Amino acid sequence: MAERALPPAVPASPEPASSSAFGSPLEPIASAVATPAHDTYVVKVQKDQIYRVPPPENAYLAERYRNARGGGGGAKKKQGGPACSPCVARTLGALLATAVLLGAAVLISLVVLRPGVPSFSVDRLTVRREARPPRADYDFFLTAVNPNKMTALWYRSGSAVLLHHGSTLATGDVGQPADGGEDSTDFSMVLRGKPHDGRTPKAVDKALAGSREHLALELSVQVTVQVHVGALGFGQRRLVVRCDVGAAGLSKDVHISSQSCKSSFIN
């Protein structure tokens, strides 16, 4: 019996996953459900829109703007800077107050404790003859000019001596003026002459007798001065004044031919 050849076996085509009722274990169950038809949408993209990265200069300008306003997310060192500003302000305030106090101390020292020395001049000299005992009294009228612009000088008690080549002619007290002066002060003083006991210099006797010859006189004054700033009075100082006066005779109203006055504080 002849053998009949069988055709080659055709492999069965794999069954699609959707044909299984339970679906594939690797796929979700929803894949077995038929997908409904979707609507169609049209998306339009602008072709002329250009996207680009900003230049690095913009970041630098933004950082400067944030630092100027005191904000921003800079480094920790920058964030800690504004917190120290009150400390700096207090330190500067303390330094300024110290400088003001030092300046006031220097001003008081220069203006109040060390005022400028006033200048003196002899305005008039009058001689009065006394018979009992025989002597000559001398009335001096002086003017003191204050060089200080911020302070007034008030003159207190003092003393004066009139000499001729070292010989004492008269002594007396310096009377206190009515009030102090900011610019100048006028005051007078009467010096009582020593009795004529034969020891009076001959040049003085001749001048008292009417001679018009030049006579050299020396007036020495010591007076207490108090410095005032408004109504406030500060420490007192001793002032020494020396005036070299040239007189033409010693008649009632003496003609002063020359004078030179020097003054200085001695404390």
Side-chain angles (χ1 to χ4, degrees), residues 109-122:
S109 177
L110 294 178
V111 175
V112 177
L113 301 181
R114 301 182 63 181
V117 180
S119 59
F120 281 76
S121 61
V122 180

Side-chain angles (χ1 to χ4, degrees), residues 181-199:
E182 295 184 359
D183 297 327
S184 62
T185 302
D186 298 330
F187 53 93
S188 62
M189 54 187 178
V190 178
L191 305 184
R192 303 294 181 183
K194 298 182 64 175
H196 295 173
D197 53 1
R199 299 180 182 178

Side-chain angles (χ1 to χ4, degrees), residues 5-222:
L6 297 177
V10 179
S13 60
E15 188 177 0
S18 60
S19 63
S20 175
F22 298 98
S24 173
L26 301 178
E27 297 291 335
I29 300 177
S31 61
V33 183
T35 303
H38 297 284
D39 296 335
T40 302
Y41 297 91
V42 178
V43 179
K44 295 182 178 181
V45 179
Q46 298 180 2
K47 296 182 178 181
D48 57 349
Q49 187 171 0
I50 300 175
Y51 299 91
R52 63 179 179 178
V53 179
E57 290 81 2
N58 291 4
Y60 172 73
L61 295 176
E63 182 69 17
R64 283 189 59 184
Y65 179 75
R66 284 196 300 268
N67 293 338
R69 294 178 61 89
K76 291 184 178 180
K77 185 177 180 180
K78 293 183 179 180
Q79 291 179 356
C84 295
S85 57
C87 302
V88 175
R90 286 193 295 268
T91 303
L92 293 178
L95 293 176
L96 181 60
T98 303
V100 171
L101 292 177
L102 290 177
V106 172
L107 181 63
I108 292 175
S109 177
L110 294 178
V111 175
V112 177
L113 301 181
R114 301 182 63 181
V117 180
S119 59
F120 281 76
S121 61
V122 180
D123 295 336
R124 190 168 71 253
L125 171 58
T126 303
V127 178
R128 295 183 301 178
R129 302 285 301 271
E130 299 290 342
R132 295 182 181 179
R135 71 175 191 272
D137 295 340
Y138 301 85
D139 293 349
F140 280 91
F141 296 85
L142 305 178
T143 297
V145 178
N146 179 19
N148 306 284
K149 301 301 181 181
M150 301 178 60
T151 59
L153 300 179
W154 289 17
Y155 296 91
R156 305 303 184 186
S157 60
S159 60
V161 178
L162 182 63
L163 304 98
H164 171 72
H165 293 314
S167 300
T168 301
L169 302 180
T171 59
D173 297 331
V174 179
Q176 180 179 347
D179 55 2
E182 295 184 359
D183 297 327
S184 62
T185 302
D186 298 330
F187 53 93
S188 62
M189 54 187 178
V190 178
L191 305 184
R192 303 294 181 183
K194 298 182 64 175
H196 295 173
D197 53 1
R199 299 180 182 178
T200 306
K202 294 182 179 180
V204 176
D205 288 337
K206 292 175 62 176
L208 291 173
S211 172
R212 304 291 294 178
E213 294 181 3
H214 180 271
L215 182 66
L217 300 175
E218 178 186 331
L219 177 64
S220 179
V221 180
Q222 290 191 18

